[in-house]
Amino acid sequence: MNLAHKALLLTAGILGSSIVNASTAGVSLTNSTVKGDVTLSMGTFGIDAGMSYDKDESVTTAHLGFGVEDSDTSGPLQVGLGARVYGIDADKQNDKDTSVAVALGGWYRYTIPEANRISLYGSLYYAPEVLSFTNLDHMYVYELRAEYMTMRNARAYISYGKTAIIYDDNTRKEANNGFAIGATVDF
C-alpha cells in the first residue's frame, strides 16, 4: 500500500471517528428468536441496522434505517423519528416469500429522574400498503422495554414486542411475538 492510500485511510478514520458521537449495539433472545441491531448516532441524526430470526415462524427480517434524534440527552426524555427499509424472508407455501417494505415510525426512552438507572423504551414502525412491495400488503413492528442501566454504558432489559406481516392474500405471520430478555451496550 503506498503512502497516499495510507494517508487517505488515516484521514477517513479520523474524520469518521469525529463525526460519530455514539454507537449502540444490542441483542435480545427467547428460546426461539434472536434479534440484534446496531445504531450509529451522529448528533441530530442516526443510522441503524438490524436483523431478527424467528425459528418457530421461519421468518427472517433485516432493516436499514435513518432517523433524526433529539440531540439534547441531558433530560429524561430521548426521542427519534425516521424510516426503515425492511427485507422480509418468510417461509410461505408458495415461492413468493421475500418482501420489501419502507416503514415510518420512531422510538422514545424515558429515564425516571428519581431512579436514573431505570428507563422505559418504546418503538413503533409501520409500513402501509403503498410502501409495501412484492406480495406484502402491510407490516408493523413494535417493542416496549423496561430497562435497567447495569453500568454507565450498558443496559439490561425485558421487552415485549411483535413483528406482524400481512400479505396480499390476507395471510399473516407474527414473528418475534412475546417477551424477551436483552442488553444494549454504548461505545
Side-chain angles (χ1 to χ4, degrees):
M1 185 181 287
N2 65 26
L3 187 58
H5 288 129
K6 289 180 184 177
L8 285 172
L9 285 174
L10 180 62
T11 304
I14 292 170
L15 290 176
S17 65
S18 64
I19 291 173
V20 176
N21 291 336
S23 300
T24 303
V27 65
S28 65
L29 302 166
T30 68
N31 279 339
S32 62
T33 63
V34 61
K35 290 185 347 181
D37 59 73
V38 175
T39 302
L40 303 174
S41 296
M42 299 173 204
T44 58
F45 68 95
I47 299 170
D48 67 291
M51 189 168 181
S52 69
Y53 173 68
D54 187 325
K55 183 177 107 178
D56 290 345
E57 294 295 324
S58 296
V59 173
T60 302
T61 64
H63 74 266
L64 181 63
F66 179 81
V68 293
E69 301 175 359
D70 185 7
S71 61
D72 180 20
T73 59
S74 62
L77 185 64
Q78 297 170 309
V79 179
L81 296 172
R84 288 180 173 175
V85 176
Y86 278 90
I88 303 158
D89 184 21
D91 190 17
K92 291 187 63 167
Q93 299 300 329
N94 57 22
D95 293 332
K96 297 180 179 180
D97 61 356
T98 303
S99 305
V100 176
V102 178
L104 306 174
W107 59 270
Y108 73 91
R109 175 178 285 122
Y110 180 74
T111 303
I112 300 170
E114 294 80 19
N116 63 1
R117 288 185 174 264
I118 299 172
S119 57
L120 303 173
Y121 174 92
S123 68
L124 172 66
Y125 288 88
Y126 176 70
E129 183 178 356
V130 71
L131 296 176
S132 300
F133 306 102
T134 60
N135 59 343
L136 192 63
D137 184 66
H138 67 281
M139 70 157 304
Y140 60 89
V141 177
Y142 70 83
E143 183 178 29
L144 303 170
R145 297 183 198 163
E147 301 177 325
Y148 180 75
M149 187 180 289
T150 57
M151 58 185 81
R152 190 177 302 273
N153 63 339
R155 297 175 193 269
Y157 60 84
I158 296 174
S159 68
Y160 181 82
K162 181 191 304 189
T163 301
I165 307 157
I166 297 87
Y167 292 95
D168 288 335
D169 61 1
N170 289 327
T171 60
R172 81 186 275 133
K173 289 271 193 172
E174 291 185 357
N176 307 315
N177 188 12
F179 288 96
I181 58 169
T184 60
V185 178
D186 299 329
F187 53 94

